[in-house]
DNA sequence: CGCCGGTTTGACGGCAATCAAATCTAGTGG
DNA sequence: CCACTAGATTTGATTGCCGTCAAACCGGCG
């Protein structure tokens, strides 16, 4: 029932070595981190952390995708973050979790016991600086998302989400075609709705509309082809390039 | 025409000494900051920074209120942050500003030239840690706001904004009556609308409705009395206490 | 084959946006 | 001191987008 613990592997071979909170660490620092780290795997759909629970670890997503959500008492749900490989989970210096974290796909986490991590961070500027940098990036992303949530139409919201996912895929894939893009949606329609502040019916309708208008092509429910990225960005209401091309 | 530069004063007497980015600094560190700081005053309504401009300083709001906004080409505007005394402006390590920063009231900023500040931060963990802490707080606030923008009704949005402003006032005012609260709105109806992802007409209507229903009392347009804070929090859709009372 | 979760599509209604006009408030100058 | 003006706010009438409720569809799996 419980997710298995995978065997430790070497930080040098870690797929997120150069992007996670440990990105700036030298080999000595890495050794210290290694001493307090352990891996843990969560099955798709399983909660990783529940809002309000006290957390005894922080850590990085090594592989897979997880969501950060907030809910109201009556069940209304808003996603407030999407966690991808290298993203950091948990807040040093705070005990209780502020959000629900749920594995969307199978997720492997590199966990650090919280106390030792905090102590290590206090004497290791490389870690603290990297964490600051990552937090500032997340803050920017959250603020960009506030514009989407507050001011964009349903159609623009969907286009915004698709372009963000496409951009992210592009950053992993070595520079390929900028015009045509192909990717798999890592989210259900309901998760997309929770991300965008819509209902799943509206998400479905707008996906169909974008397909009908030739902005996207769909194979099955999840496999998306964007024939013209510029067109998608226009639909998202961003400037024609959005810092994406050129 | 140009805002006057006020004369420097001693950090020891600074009203935000214990809450700003310098909160953890000892007297030596304060002296180093003092060497690169200067004060600057902006009149109400004046832009402090324009999105895309390159910034040659970072700094703290000493007094007054400023807004952080994003806009789309067609003019749709979303506020993404409200800057109060002690809040930090600017991002170390980045040249261009990502948002518009506008003074809502007269604002006094304690500015640091960016390069020297970055260098100082690199060798002063007290500053880096405090900035991380403040950034994490802002990230939490932004995520809380995403729930408001994405999932709350107009009435709940207004109640949420009022309770946030009330809470903030309470944190300044020494613990007074928790039940009844009185404060002045620092924002116009339009700014409230930009914060909440609404139109100013809807803001006005909902303010009138909350007044009619006895949730708030208004004296003039800006002076608000909340007779029962618990009631307001209910209207905001938060748990009955919202971490505010008790 | 039949169930089940995820998804699509349809019909309808409501909440907030839009368009428009009245009212209030604070300056300004006569 | 008061009329006048500009900006902020309130209020009203109407529209339309998106949410709600409901039913059909689809693919996968026991």
């Amino acid at each position: 029932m419980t997710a298995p613990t995978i065997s430790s592997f070497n930080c040098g071979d870690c797929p997120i070595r150069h992007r996670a909170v440990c990105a700036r660490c030298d080999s000595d620092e890495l050794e210290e981190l290694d001493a307090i780290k352990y891996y843990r795997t969560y099955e798709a759909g399983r909660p990783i952390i529940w809002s309000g629970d006290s957390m005894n670890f922080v850590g990085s997503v090594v592989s897979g995708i997880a969501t950060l959500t907030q809910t109201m008492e009556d069940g209304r749900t808003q996603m407030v973050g999407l966690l991808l490989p290298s993203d950091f989970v948990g807040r040093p210096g705070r005990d209780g979790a502020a959000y629900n974290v749920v594995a969307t796909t199978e997720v492997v986490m590199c966990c650090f016991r919280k106390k030792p991590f905090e102590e290590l961070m206090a004497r290791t500027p490389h870690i603290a600086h990297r964490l600051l940098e990552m937090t500032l990036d997340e803050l920017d992303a959250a603020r960009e998302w506030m514009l989407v949530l507050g001011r964009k139409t349903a159609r623009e919201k969907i286009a915004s989400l698709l372009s963000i996912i496409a951009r992210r895929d592009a950053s992993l894939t070595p520079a390929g075609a900028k015009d045509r893009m192909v990717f798999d949606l890592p989210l259900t329609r309901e998760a997309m709705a929770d991300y965008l502040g819509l209902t799943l019916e509206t998400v479905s309708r707008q996906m169909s509309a974008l397909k009908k208008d030739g902005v996207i092509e769909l194979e099955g429910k999840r496999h998306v082809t964007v024939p013209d990225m510029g067109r998608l960005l226009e639909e998202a209401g961003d400037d024609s390039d959005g810092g994406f091309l050129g």
Side-chain angles (χ1 to χ4, degrees), chain A residues 1-7 37-43 46-48 56-57 60-63 106-111:
Chain A
M1 282 302 137
T2 309
T5 302
I6 71 171
S7 60
K37 90 174 191 224
Y38 57 96
Y39 292 95
R40 178 142 183 215
T41 302
Y42 299 85
E43 296 170 36
R46 293 298 171 99
I48 296 176
N56 49 14
F57 70 91
S60 301
V61 176
V62 176
S63 67
E106 180 176 284
V107 166
V108 177
M109 295 273 310
C110 173
C111 305

Side-chain angles (χ1 to χ4, degrees), chain A residues 197-243:
Chain A
L198 298 170
T199 59
L200 64 89
E201 293 96 326
T202 298
V203 170
S204 182
R205 270 184 249 279
Q206 297 299 337
M207 288 290 287
S208 299
L210 289 174
K211 176 180 168 187
K212 182 165 69 65
D213 296 345
V215 181
I216 59 173
E217 292 157 19
L218 286 175
E219 234 175 301
K221 315 293 186 183
R222 300 292 195 88
H223 194 75
V224 180
T225 301
V226 180
D228 178 356
M229 206 55 206
R231 174 79 193 284
L232 183 64
L233 290 167
E234 272 174 43
E235 293 285 355
D238 297 339
D239 352 294
S240 48
D241 63 43

